[in-house]
Amino acid sequence: MTSEALSPFAGAPDRPVFVGGCPRSGTTLLRTMLNNHPELAMPRESRFLLETWRRRERFGDLGAERNRRKLARWIFTRKATRPGRVGVEPQRAIDRLVAAPPTVGSLLGTCFLMYAEQQGKQRWGDKRPMYVQYLDAIFAMFPDAQFVNIVRDPRAAVASMRRLDWYGGDVVPVAELWERSQRAADAWRRRLARDQLLEIRYEDLVSRPEETLTNVCSFLQLSEDGIAEALSYHEHNDIPESSTYHWKLHQPVSADTSRRWEQELSGEEIALIEYAAGKRLQRYGYEPAAGGARPTVEMYRALRQRRLERAKLAWRRQMKELKLRFTHRQPVAARLTSGQCR
């Protein structure tokens, strides 16, 4: 559970909103709904926020205009960062970032603010499943942020990823990914105030969309008057109809395929996923279904190996961050300027 206390930012009208969770858990559905709310703008998934955070020492002291321009050009001239999703002409975007307050949070916040302005809105947000594993970066750059973690039945999430041939259809790495995503949220739950972190279930979003979205809007302090527009996302959204991953976003919300995994996963695979999920399975209200099935010895070994590999990567990242605290002491938190941008 999160702390019962409120953060110093409670009640502020323009807090940034972030959505994350394990991949294939409904983050894009929720983002598309929220982007259709008249008070909040959230672009399609970009690739520059975390990438900038990881490389921040390369851009030096952002108090120097040349370094702000270097960072701005890195974001808006690389196809890999998907700058077109912000919807602003590159040179104008670069000039805007150069004029932003000299912190990495301020420059990145300005990117999303420009998208909001294109939509005629004042408040911005961003969505990417991986954000749940980088809450340290999110709250370092945006201390007033609000985060929505969306959780899906791990068996359904794994089946969905396998349907798209992630990891060659192997359930072990995707089961570990679900576990790792929820463990990351657990690590921050008690550190955040109740107005900073909200957790919702995908199954509730698709079976009781109005009720669940009302809860989300209340947490984010978005007007309930915009919920009807958010729920009509399928009538006017920015996801291409040809999208392999998100074609269902052109249809009304439905829970019809929530238990499709029962026909797609073997008993051994279900047992392995439930073993990886552990107590979190029942914590989120998902009933065990493996019955007497058990994972194979090879599955257990593969999961242990995957956990060890990811733990080593996490340790290296922690060591790098610790080093940066001593070698790169530039401020990172977003600042307000003239009430316009962070």
Side-chain angles (χ1 to χ4, degrees):
M1 294 179 62
T2 54
S3 167
E4 287 302 309
L6 292 173
S7 75
F9 311 103
D14 60 348
R15 299 170 69 180
V17 176
F18 292 90
V19 171
C22 179
R24 306 304 293 170
S25 291
T27 56
T28 300
L29 172 61
L30 180 59
R31 168 262 154 190
T32 307
M33 288 178 169
L34 292 175
N35 189 51
N36 275 275
H37 192 287
E39 297 173 2
L40 179 64
M42 300 186 76
R44 292 171 59 202
E45 195 170 302
S46 62
R47 286 287 188 275
F48 56 78
L49 189 146
L50 292 180
E51 288 74 7
T52 300
W53 173 257
R54 296 187 192 112
R55 295 168 173 82
R56 62 192 184 275
E57 79 279 8
R58 300 183 186 180
F59 302 107
D61 180 4
L62 295 179
E65 179 180 322
R66 66 180 181 279
N67 289 336
R68 296 197 300 278
R69 189 172 300 278
K70 178 181 177 182
L71 172 53
R73 287 185 58 81
W74 184 84
I75 292 174
F76 283 96
T77 60
R78 295 176 72 248
K79 289 184 179 180
T81 56
R82 299 176 178 174
R85 295 188 174 184
V86 175
V88 181
E89 189 274 323
Q91 189 55 55
R92 187 161 72 87
I94 291 170
D95 292 342
R96 184 76 175 272
L97 263 64
V98 170
T103 72
V104 65
S106 295
L107 268 69
L108 291 170
T110 298
C111 294
F112 298 109
L113 178 66
M114 288 188 290
Y115 174 80
E117 291 172 345
Q118 294 290 315
Q119 311 301 313
K121 303 176 184 180
Q122 294 185 339
R123 191 172 178 189
W124 62 266
D126 191 32
K127 163 264 171 181
R128 191 174 177 183
M130 194 183 294
Y131 286 158
V132 74
Q133 298 181 47
Y134 283 83
L135 291 177
D136 56 338
I138 296 296
F139 284 101
M141 290 187 286
F142 308 101
D144 58 341
Q146 291 183 284
F147 189 83
V148 181
N149 182 44
I150 183 164
V151 180
R152 187 180 187 182
D153 186 319
R155 298 157 299 195
V158 170
S160 179
M161 283 185 262
R162 185 163 74 174
R163 225 172 283 140
L164 297 170
D165 200 32
W166 288 28
Y167 300 99
D170 186 356
V171 302
V172 170
V174 287
E176 186 276 332
L177 177 56
W178 188 93
E179 174 193 23
R180 179 163 27 102
S181 297
Q182 303 317 317
R183 190 168 60 243
D186 288 346
W188 277 80
R189 190 169 284 108
R190 293 187 181 278
R191 299 172 63 179
L192 298 174
R194 59 187 172 92
D195 60 298
Q196 293 178 297
L197 173 65
L198 176 70
E199 213 158 50
I200 66 169
R201 298 195 326 160
Y202 169 81
E203 291 77 14
D204 296 332
L205 184 62
V206 297
S207 63
R208 301 193 300 276
E210 184 171 359
E211 175 187 336
T212 306
L213 199 55
T214 297
N215 182 33
V216 173
C217 288
S218 176
F219 170 74
L220 299 177
Q221 293 191 300
L222 297 173
S223 171
E224 291 188 11
D225 295 339
I227 291 176
E229 290 182 59
L231 290 173
S232 65
Y233 66 91
H234 58 286
E235 297 176 359
H236 38 77
N237 70 58
D238 53 5
I239 303 292
E241 292 190 46
S242 59
S243 172
T244 301
Y245 285 14
H246 306 301
W247 58 271
K248 287 189 68 176
L249 291 174
H250 291 274
Q251 302 174 2
V253 66
S254 169
D256 291 347
T257 60
S258 291
R259 300 192 68 84
R260 185 174 167 184
W261 58 268
E262 292 176 317
Q263 285 75 49
E264 297 181 337
L265 300 173
S266 70
E268 291 174 342
E269 290 169 337
I270 292 172
L272 185 280
I273 296 165
E274 292 179 359
Y275 171 78
K279 294 181 179 179
R280 295 182 181 90
L281 190 73
Q282 294 190 20
R283 181 210 295 174
Y284 291 115
Y286 302 124
E287 293 296 326
R294 294 176 60 85
T296 65
V297 172
E298 290 75 19
M299 285 178 167
Y300 279 125
R301 288 174 177 169
L303 179 61
R304 267 199 309 272
Q305 182 62 32
R306 183 73 181 178
R307 285 170 168 170
L308 284 172
E309 291 170 357
R310 300 309 305 190
K312 289 179 182 177
L313 289 174
W315 182 82
R316 289 173 189 165
R317 180 191 160 216
Q318 290 171 0
M319 293 302 99
K320 181 179 180 181
E321 285 297 318
L322 184 62
K323 179 181 177 182
L324 282 175
R325 292 182 188 179
F326 295 97
T327 61
H328 184 73
R329 298 195 174 189
Q330 305 301 320
V332 298
R335 300 174 185 172
L336 293 174
T337 176
S338 304
Q340 292 183 335
C341 66
R342 297 177 184 279

